[in-house]
């Protein structure tokens, strides 16, 4: 919906090795210190980096500070949202515009420690596609934050099949190819490792430092946990059945029609052998089950049309390639995308 100001990744400059993506909403007091810490964090890693700050409609002095940082340091790029779209949208915009081979996301409030960045990138280079931070020693309120978060992490791990201790930690490192398959909605940035894992990525976690907030205030409370659980439901459904919805809807339809058959048979036997009534609640129940069964199957067929529209209108393949060996060049969009996006890996 927001107009694209410039096409993502369109610059002709060579890619930096590292993009730091930082979502910012009313963090003016933290920004000068954050910038210094980020510079210390990337210092051991050479000069090939960019800091991509995404201002999520801040109403404080943050935007002015960001402008002056961008004016004085060519490593700094800033995206300004027109209004507050939320942390997930901010991360998503930053990731779309990041040019780095590796993308590291972190919070602006200095609860995540920029000095952990080199360790994350090193772990990524050891052969992983996603390295997720684990705030083992988390410095947030136990009742309103840490406890619900532990429960949510347990649930997400069970449902997604990827056991991580801390999905909610923003400090994570990714290879840029990971994002080819991922679109983010709601509170879904925390699920990127699970999406990536489903698409075949190698995911690991490392313990990172965590500090109490010293300036500014947290933007969230307990209500976020509810949203996270709902997002988990959406995501799991979309993942499991997005290419074959008829299997789910058709399964329910078949079950209902089967139950209808049983209850109709029961009524018939009762009438013919035991001389009972034709008319009874069971006849109504049979009719309802038949109608519901047929509806389910028709919904499944409609969903099949939607899935085709979704994949074909966006040229989205129903698979994810890691690598293409040999000279055979692509007929489809997916193959050329992979070849373009990971030249280093295909070698
Ligand atoms: N944030 C944002 N948009 C929002 C809310 C938060 O960009 O609508 C940013 C915020 O500035 C911070 C990060 O997201 O950099 C995490 O927010 P916060 O520290 O409030 O979350 P918590 O650490 O308490 O979970
Ligand atoms: Mg925080």
């Amino acid at each position: 919906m927001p107009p694209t100001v410039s096409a993502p990744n369109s610059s002709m400059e060579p890619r930096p090795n590292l993009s730091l993506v930082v979502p910012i909403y009313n963090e003016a007091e933290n920004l000068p210190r954050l910038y210094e810490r980020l510079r210390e964090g990337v210092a051991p890693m050479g000069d090939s980096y960019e800091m991509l700050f995404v201002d999520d409609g801040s109403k404080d002095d943050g935007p002015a500070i960001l402008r002056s940082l961008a004016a004085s340091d060519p490593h700094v790029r800033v995206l300004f949202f027109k209004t507050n779209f939320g942390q997930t949208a901010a991360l998503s915009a930053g990731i779309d515009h990041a040019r780095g081979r590796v993308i590291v996301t972190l919070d602006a409030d200095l609860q995540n420690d920029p000095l952990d960045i080199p360790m994350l990138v090193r772990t990524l280079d050891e052969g992983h596609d996603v390295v997720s931070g684990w705030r083992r020693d988390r410095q947030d309120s136990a009742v309103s934050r840490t406890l619900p978060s532990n429960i949510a992490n347990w649930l997400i791990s069970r449902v997604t099949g990827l056991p991580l201790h801390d999905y909610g930690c923003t400090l994570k490192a990714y290879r840029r190819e990971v994002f080819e398959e991922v679109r983010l909605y709601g509170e879904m940035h925390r699920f990127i490792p699970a999406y990536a894992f489903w698409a075949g990525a190698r995911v690991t976690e490392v313990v990172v430092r965590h500090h109490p907030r010293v300036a500014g205030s947290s933007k969230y409370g307990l209500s976020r946990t509810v949203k996270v659980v709902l997002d988990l439901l959406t995501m799991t459904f979309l993942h499991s059945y997005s290419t074959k919805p008829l299997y789910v809807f058709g399964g329910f339809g078949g079950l209902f029609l089967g139950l209808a058959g049983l209850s109709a048979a029961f009524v018939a036997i009762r009438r013919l052998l035991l001389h009972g009534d034709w008319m009874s609640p069971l006849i109504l129940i049979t009719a309802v089950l038949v109608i519901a069964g047929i509806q389910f199957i028709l919904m499944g067929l409609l969903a099949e049309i939607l899935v085709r529209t979704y994949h074909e209108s966006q040229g989205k393949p129903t698979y994810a390639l890691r690598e293409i060996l040999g000279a055979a060049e692509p007929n489809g969009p997916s193959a050329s995308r992979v070849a373009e996006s990971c030249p280093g890996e295909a070698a």
Side-chain angles (χ1 to χ4, degrees):
M1 189 191 64
T4 314
V5 180
S6 62
N9 306 326
S10 64
S11 167
M12 298 312 289
E13 295 163 35
R15 283 191 191 293
N17 268 331
L18 175 64
S19 292
L20 305 175
V21 171
V22 190
I24 296 171
Y25 182 54
N26 294 343
E27 304 282 3
E29 296 149 79
N30 287 311
L31 290 181
R33 176 106 187 87
L34 172 71
Y35 173 69
E36 288 310 319
R37 281 297 263 193
L38 287 174
R39 291 199 4 156
E40 287 168 40
V42 294
M45 308 182 52
D47 199 37
S48 182
Y49 70 91
E50 63 178 4
M51 292 181 199
L52 190 45
F53 296 115
V54 185
D55 178 67
D56 185 13
S58 294
K59 292 167 190 70
D60 59 5
D61 296 336
I65 299 174
L66 292 172
R67 277 179 206 287
S68 72
L69 288 178
S72 63
D73 181 348
H75 290 112
V76 173
R77 297 167 66 210
V78 189
L79 307 173
F80 293 99
F81 277 5
K82 287 186 170 173
T83 182
N84 180 238
F85 287 100
Q87 188 186 357
T88 297
L91 284 167
S92 191
I95 289 163
D96 284 345
H97 289 257
R99 296 180 300 208
R101 181 182 63 81
V102 168
I103 297 175
V104 170
T105 56
L106 74 167
D107 285 344
D109 54 7
L110 284 165
Q111 290 198 266
N112 297 139
D113 196 328
L115 299 187
D116 282 326
I117 294 170
M119 185 265 296
L120 285 178
V121 176
R122 233 182 2 257
T123 312
L124 200 72
D125 286 339
E126 283 164 9
H128 298 98
D129 300 305
V130 179
V131 180
S132 181
W134 170 16
R135 299 164 291 178
R136 191 164 59 186
D137 203 5
R138 188 166 169 181
Q139 306 292 324
D140 281 321
S141 141
V143 178
S144 71
R145 308 302 296 276
T146 312
L147 180 68
S149 149
N150 286 343
I151 297 171
N153 282 310
W154 175 82
L155 191 68
I156 300 171
S157 298
R158 287 298 299 265
V159 172
T160 61
L162 173 68
L164 291 183
H165 289 92
D166 195 2
Y167 273 91
C169 180
T170 312
L171 182 55
K172 295 187 171 89
Y174 311 88
R175 273 179 217 288
R176 67 174 301 108
E177 297 84 62
V178 164
F179 294 103
E180 308 250 308
E181 317 299 326
V182 180
R183 284 283 167 274
L184 306 177
Y185 303 93
E187 285 288 320
M188 290 188 180
H189 63 266
R190 69 196 60 243
F191 297 124
I192 301 171
Y195 274 117
F197 171 71
W198 289 339
R202 295 156 294 197
V203 182
T204 188
E205 72 179 347
V206 292
V207 174
V208 296
R209 284 169 273 207
H210 194 243
H211 306 292
R213 232 188 205 277
V214 287
S217 57
S218 171
K219 279 72 187 176
Y220 300 105
L222 203 54
S223 66
R224 183 167 62 182
T225 312
V226 179
K227 295 186 191 163
V228 167
V229 171
L230 291 175
D231 280 344
L232 178 66
L233 184 71
T234 320
M235 194 190 69
T236 318
F237 178 79
L238 287 179
H239 165 64
S240 311
Y241 305 114
S242 65
T243 52
K244 282 316 300 174
L246 188 57
Y247 292 172
V248 192
F249 290 102
F252 278 111
L255 178 71
F256 281 26
L257 290 179
L259 290 175
L262 283 181
S263 81
F266 181 83
V267 173
I269 290 168
R270 190 179 59 185
R271 167 71 197 146
L272 299 176
L273 302 182
L274 306 173
H275 306 290
D277 291 331
W278 277 123
M279 281 315 290
S280 74
L282 269 183
I283 280 287
L284 286 180
I285 291 173
T286 307
V288 170
L289 286 172
V290 169
I291 294 170
I294 292 173
Q295 290 286 349
F296 263 112
I297 293 173
L298 291 180
M299 263 198 286
L301 290 170
L302 273 181
E304 288 281 326
I305 297 175
L306 289 178
V307 164
R308 278 162 183 68
T309 314
Y310 172 74
H311 282 279
E312 288 165 23
S313 65
Q314 302 183 52
K316 263 181 178 295
T318 51
Y319 52 84
L321 296 175
R322 186 183 302 288
E323 182 177 347
I324 301 173
L325 278 184
E329 246 318 272
N331 303 314
S334 55
S336 61
R337 272 222 321 258
V338 170
E340 261 168 39
S341 63
C342 35
E345 293 223 324

